[in-house]
Amino acid sequence: MKPTRSRSASVGSAVVTASIISLSACGGSNDNDAVRASSTAQQACATLSGKTIGGAALTAAVVPASGPAPTYCKVNGTLAPKLNFEIRLPDSWNGKLHYAGGGGYNGAIPDVALSASALKQGYATASSDSGHQGSLLDASFALTDPTAAQLFGSLSVPTVMATAIEAVTAAYGQLPSKSYYEGCSNGGREGLMNVQRYPKLFDGVIARAPAYNWVGFMGAFNRTAKALAAPGGAFTSAKTSLLAKSVRDACDGLDGVVDGVVSNQSACTSAAFNPASLRCAGGTDTGDTCLSDAQLAVVSSWTTDAVFAGSPTFRNAGWSLTGNEDSPTAMGLWVTGNGNVTTALQYLFQDTTVKNYLARDPSANSLAYSPWDQNQSALSAMAALNDATNSNIQPFVDRGAKLILWHGGNDAALSKNNTAEYYNNVVSKVGGQSAADAFMRFYIAPGVDHCAGGPGADTADLLTALDNWVTNKAAPGTLTAQKLDPANGAVQFERPLCQYPKYPRYTGPANDANAAKLASNYACS
């Protein structure tokens, strides 16, 4: 799976260039946040249009303000062989650069909506398609194109950063004073990959719901898909609703308020709710008021750890039962397919992974691929490309960079317990909590689905918190998360965003719906 020497040479050169440039961009003589370049988006476009920078011929055009995005200069280019990128330059630059990561198997440049908040704050932003074009559910590039596989795995971000820094410097006449990375899901993995392999590239990284243990979570996807496909294992939306309501009935009030979200998940133990209590008489499916033995086996597969041979990192921590499994973007979408497992996103991801990384056969049946760890060389090769499990991030720490981890408490795509494992592994590696607190924070947002959505408060400005930490040495503590009305952006309610392992406990007046909407009536417990 290695690229040819000629094709990999340009990629490797770009990575070296990125590292050199980033040293100048981070902590150099231009590290003065009071300095602001005066170029407008129009002027930046005029400067860059038609130029070749970092080996890429650039096109540039001003994009008027629309929806959440302000006016900006959109700069596009391609780095050989086919790494497409986009740089967005705001009207009023704050002197800093923000890189927004992708999702799934990438294949397209992320929508500007993912960068809109950063653009509004004055950041220049950059993103890419990671070096191949296609559906985010399609890993066929890994079967046919070793260079694309390496770019997706770890090289696309540092490669694009080299060109982005040059382009931003050309547009505004000065190097970025700080460079930050932010991404969710695979984007979170990309963030941790750069923390681990390119520690000098960013001054700070925000890794949301990071898909960092590719071998482990894909194996867990495969295991649960098989349980769902087994006779009687199909899980309808009614079954999911039964499970979710049962968890809420048992555990919702354990955080001090009955609000439809189980914030105190650590107290929602098997003593509070045991899925076996939903067992159908005799273990055979008798309708929507119970779970058969085959369906309880699905719940067990989903909520227990999956461990595979070959490496201590070939594992996946099980999902917690949250009480919000019935959210439209939770268990039905990701796990069960609402009765048809082959439509579930977890099934589709593991299926394309088996076909293109492990069996290396587009006709392979992923449900018949057993055991998951049968081909150790294939697992190790995939891990070398895609796993970001190394908890020894001392080089990143030593240069003063900061890391913020975040995970939705109702994430049915990737287990928040995996992110907790990585966080705890880093804490152990650096010598304890006090040392870790100097450079790392971890937040869990109760009731929030994968990256966003769900009944919980899913909006929080982690970028401002990170920037204050890096530039002003103001370490973030409890933050505020909001739930916004999708129609008009109005705040529906707020919650404290607590540092792990704390959760927001309601301390306000009883039976007061308006008081329960205010973050000030909660304490991190």
Side-chain angles (χ1 to χ4, degrees), residues 64 159 446:
T159 301

Side-chain angles (χ1 to χ4, degrees), residues 37-94:
S38 60
S39 295
T40 64
Q42 180 69 53
Q43 291 168 329
C45 273
T47 299
L48 296 180
S49 183
K51 296 286 180 64
T52 296
I53 291 180
L58 305 181
T59 62
V62 174
V63 178
S66 177
T71 298
Y72 66 96
C73 170
K74 183 173 76 168
V75 182
N76 290 97
T78 300
L79 291 163
K82 51 183 179 180
L83 173 55
N84 298 321
F85 64 87
E86 187 165 300
I87 302 167
R88 297 158 181 145
L89 306 174
D91 254 335
S92 181
W93 186 43
N94 67 6

Side-chain angles (χ1 to χ4, degrees), residues 123 150 212 360 486 504:
Y123 287 88
Q150 287 192 325
Y212 72 93
R360 300 193 64 76

Side-chain angles (χ1 to χ4, degrees), residues 313-512:
T313 65
F314 291 177
R315 57 173 282 109
N316 187 76
W319 283 257
S320 300
L321 290 175
T322 67
N324 297 124
E325 288 80 7
D326 53 354
S327 169
T329 52
M331 192 174 182
L333 175 68
W334 280 96
V335 185
T336 69
N338 293 315
N340 182 1
V341 64
T342 61
T343 67
L345 293 178
Q346 284 194 3
Y347 168 85
L348 294 170
F349 274 118
Q350 66 81 33
D351 186 64
T352 195
T353 301
V354 167
K355 286 176 166 62
N356 296 292
Y357 280 97
L358 302 181
R360 300 193 64 76
D361 177 2
S363 65
N365 179 358
S366 62
L367 294 178
Y369 188 83
S370 181
W372 177 255
D373 48 13
Q374 64 184 269
N375 187 336
Q376 284 292 309
S377 63
L379 281 188
S380 296
M382 183 165 72
L385 286 167
N386 297 342
D387 273 12
T389 53
N390 185 4
S391 58
N392 183 4
I393 59 171
Q394 199 62 48
F396 179 82
V397 176
D398 288 345
R399 61 181 301 270
K402 310 300 182 186
L403 172 63
I404 294 179
L405 300 168
W406 174 100
H407 212 119
N410 192 51
D411 191 336
L414 298 166
S415 171
K416 67 173 176 56
N417 299 320
N418 265 333
T419 304
E421 279 195 1
Y422 183 76
Y423 172 82
N424 289 327
N425 288 342
V426 173
V427 170
S428 177
K429 186 68 69 174
V430 300
Q433 194 64 59
S434 178
D437 284 345
F439 66 87
M440 182 172 60
R441 292 290 184 273
F442 176 30
Y443 298 94
I444 293 178
V448 177
D449 291 354
H450 186 53
C451 298
D458 59 353
T459 301
D461 187 1
L462 300 184
L463 180 57
T464 294
L466 178 67
D467 184 47
N468 283 336
W469 197 5
V470 171
T471 60
N472 301 321
K473 303 188 186 321
T478 300
L479 303 177
T480 299
Q482 299 176 327
K483 187 69 173 179
L484 305 180
D485 188 322
N488 56 25
V491 177
Q492 296 178 322
F493 63 86
E494 297 179 336
R495 291 287 186 277
L497 186 59
C498 302
Q499 294 182 58
Y500 174 83
K502 295 182 179 181
Y503 71 93
R505 182 171 185 82
Y506 183 66
T507 57
N511 305 315
D512 189 332

Side-chain angles (χ1 to χ4, degrees), residues 254-336:
L254 298 177
D255 52 20
V257 63
V258 176
D259 61 353
V261 174
V262 178
S263 295
N264 187 5
Q265 285 188 11
S266 63
C268 192
T269 63
S270 59
F273 171 74
N274 189 334
S277 65
L278 300 178
R279 184 175 185 262
C280 299
T284 302
D285 194 349
T286 56
D288 293 338
T289 60
C290 62
L291 299 180
S292 69
D293 285 347
Q295 291 154 355
L296 286 171
V298 170
V299 177
S300 177
S301 176
W302 194 47
T303 58
T304 57
D305 295 353
V307 180
F308 307 102
S311 168
T313 65
F314 291 177
R315 57 173 282 109
N316 187 76
W319 283 257
S320 300
L321 290 175
T322 67
N324 297 124
E325 288 80 7
D326 53 354
S327 169
T329 52
M331 192 174 182
L333 175 68
W334 280 96
V335 185
T336 69

Side-chain angles (χ1 to χ4, degrees), residues 91-337:
D91 254 335
S92 181
W93 186 43
N94 67 6
K96 301 164 190 173
L97 177 60
H98 172 270
Y99 195 108
Y105 273 114
N106 290 340
I109 295 171
D111 187 85
V112 66
L114 294 180
S115 300
S117 178
L119 281 168
K120 282 184 177 180
Q121 295 180 49
Y123 287 88
T125 75
S127 293
S128 85
D129 62 9
S130 82
H132 67 275
Q133 295 73 52
S135 165
L136 58 80
L137 292 165
D138 181 11
S140 60
F141 66 90
L143 179 64
T144 60
D145 190 339
T147 296
Q150 287 192 325
L151 285 166
F152 170 79
S154 63
L155 292 178
S156 63
V157 174
T159 301
V160 170
M161 274 292 286
T163 299
I165 292 172
E166 288 190 53
V168 169
T169 302
Y172 294 113
Q174 65 184 57
L175 283 163
S177 65
K178 302 293 180 188
S179 293
Y180 301 130
Y181 177 94
E182 184 171 12
C184 189
S185 193
N186 178 51
R189 179 195 69 90
E190 291 172 328
L192 291 184
M193 186 67 80
N194 283 280
V195 167
Q196 295 165 27
R197 299 194 188 182
Y198 308 103
K200 296 179 181 179
L201 201 54
F202 294 103
D203 298 285
V205 167
I206 300 168
R208 300 175 186 256
Y212 72 93
N213 58 323
W214 213 260
V215 168
F217 78 75
M218 286 294 182
F221 288 3
N222 177 263
R223 184 180 76 172
T224 300
K226 289 171 182 171
L228 284 156
F235 226 91
T236 64
S237 57
K239 299 281 188 178
T240 302
S241 295
L242 169 68
L243 178 64
K245 184 179 184 303
S246 300
V247 176
R248 287 198 299 271
D249 288 348
C251 299
D252 190 354
L254 298 177
D255 52 20
V257 63
V258 176
D259 61 353
V261 174
V262 178
S263 295
N264 187 5
Q265 285 188 11
S266 63
C268 192
T269 63
S270 59
F273 171 74
N274 189 334
S277 65
L278 300 178
R279 184 175 185 262
C280 299
T284 302
D285 194 349
T286 56
D288 293 338
T289 60
C290 62
L291 299 180
S292 69
D293 285 347
Q295 291 154 355
L296 286 171
V298 170
V299 177
S300 177
S301 176
W302 194 47
T303 58
T304 57
D305 295 353
V307 180
F308 307 102
S311 168
T313 65
F314 291 177
R315 57 173 282 109
N316 187 76
W319 283 257
S320 300
L321 290 175
T322 67
N324 297 124
E325 288 80 7
D326 53 354
S327 169
T329 52
M331 192 174 182
L333 175 68
W334 280 96
V335 185
T336 69

